[in-house]
Amino acid sequence: MRYLVLLLAVPFAVKAQYKYGIKPVTFSGYLRQVAENPDKELVNLGQFIPGVVLDIRYATTRNFTGEKIYNLPRAYARRPVAEALKRAQQEFALHGAGIKIYDAYRPYSATVKFYEIYRDTTYVASPYKGSRHNRGCAVDITLIDLTTGSELKMPTAYDTFTKQAWAYAPVTDPEAGRNRKLLIEVMHRHGFRVNASEWWHFDFAGWQNFEVLDIPFEELEEK
Ligand SMILES: [Zn+2]
């Protein structure tokens, strides 16, 4: 029955989602790639990184679209990305801080949806290129206090699409400035680069080696 549903669903998906010239890798292609190269595996970060906190906004209505985009609150990233983030978490712990993840791997279909809602590619990825989130090579994160679990003060809230959210925008609150500096410096030491217009977004160096994917979390968990 499941196969029948897939056969019926695929032609519609091609029309609706893949009209921007990108043909993302779907589940069967992904499994073949992982068999050839274990680095391509999407690793469940909630299970892989001790103490990491998930606040997956796109699995709720608390995001800029006001809609629930994901069916499950999950954070996945390719294996080398997950390993680097785990090392960053260890370094943050030396400062009494830990990582909270807002978003990580994002299926390509979600990027198309964001673009069709928002259209401004300063803040949402172009569906003609896809996002580094679609490659399993970007994370949206902030820091929490390891003892209280509460978020450390940052210059803006997540997904604030203003200049105050730029990674190196001047900050009036010195505490927010210090926290942002710690976040960016540690992430840079572990192979990530901050996005110039979003202090919370980090791309993993080498993202070019990973394809755009369109696999819902449900399929990853069925394997
Ligand atoms: Zn992001």
Side-chain angles (χ1 to χ4, degrees), residues 156-167:
T156 69
Y158 174 55
D159 268 357
T160 301
F161 297 157
T162 66
K163 285 190 178 177
Q164 285 74 42
W166 290 12

Side-chain angles (χ1 to χ4, degrees), residues 58 103 106 131 133 138-140 158-159 195 198 200-202:
Y58 300 126
D103 195 28
R106 177 186 305 156
S131 163
H133 284 286
V139 289
D140 295 339
Y158 174 55
D159 268 357
N195 181 297
E198 303 176 345
W200 56 82
H201 175 112
F202 294 87

Side-chain angles (χ1 to χ4, degrees), residues 3-165:
Y3 296 102
L4 180 62
V5 170
L6 281 176
L7 284 173
L8 290 171
V10 164
F12 291 106
V14 168
K15 270 188 203 148
Q17 302 296 343
Y18 303 154
K19 63 186 175 197
Y20 297 103
I22 287 217
K23 271 204 78 183
V25 173
T26 52
F27 193 50
S28 53
Y30 162 77
L31 290 180
R32 277 196 301 277
Q33 291 184 339
V34 173
E36 281 169 21
N37 179 357
D39 279 356
K40 299 244 169 136
E41 185 189 355
L42 286 169
V43 173
N44 183 323
L45 300 175
Q47 295 171 355
F48 186 71
I49 303 178
V52 79
V53 172
L54 304 190
D55 181 11
I56 308 301
R57 296 294 184 85
Y58 300 126
T60 73
T61 55
R62 292 181 305 127
N63 65 67
F64 75 95
T65 68
E67 289 176 43
K68 195 167 173 274
I69 306 285
Y70 302 159
N71 292 325
L72 297 172
R74 295 291 185 273
Y76 281 90
R78 304 282 195 164
R79 182 157 288 284
V81 183
E83 284 167 357
L85 200 62
K86 190 182 203 173
R87 289 190 290 269
Q89 169 85 335
Q90 288 162 355
E91 187 172 344
F92 286 127
L94 304 175
H95 301 268
I99 294 172
K100 178 188 264 192
I101 301 177
Y102 295 125
D103 195 28
Y105 159 66
R106 177 186 305 156
Y108 177 74
S109 295
T111 289
V112 170
K113 191 161 190 181
F114 291 169
Y115 175 75
E116 291 180 349
I117 292 171
Y118 202 73
R119 297 277 168 186
D120 179 351
T121 52
T122 311
Y123 295 106
V124 299
S126 163
Y128 294 97
K129 290 193 294 187
S131 163
R132 290 158 199 181
H133 284 286
N134 304 145
R135 298 171 188 263
C137 291
V139 289
D140 295 339
I141 63 171
T142 193
L143 293 177
I144 54 165
D145 182 316
L146 271 189
T147 45
T148 65
S150 55
E151 286 186 15
L152 297 189
K153 192 182 272 183
M154 288 292 175
T156 69
Y158 174 55
D159 268 357
T160 301
F161 297 157
T162 66
K163 285 190 178 177
Q164 285 74 42

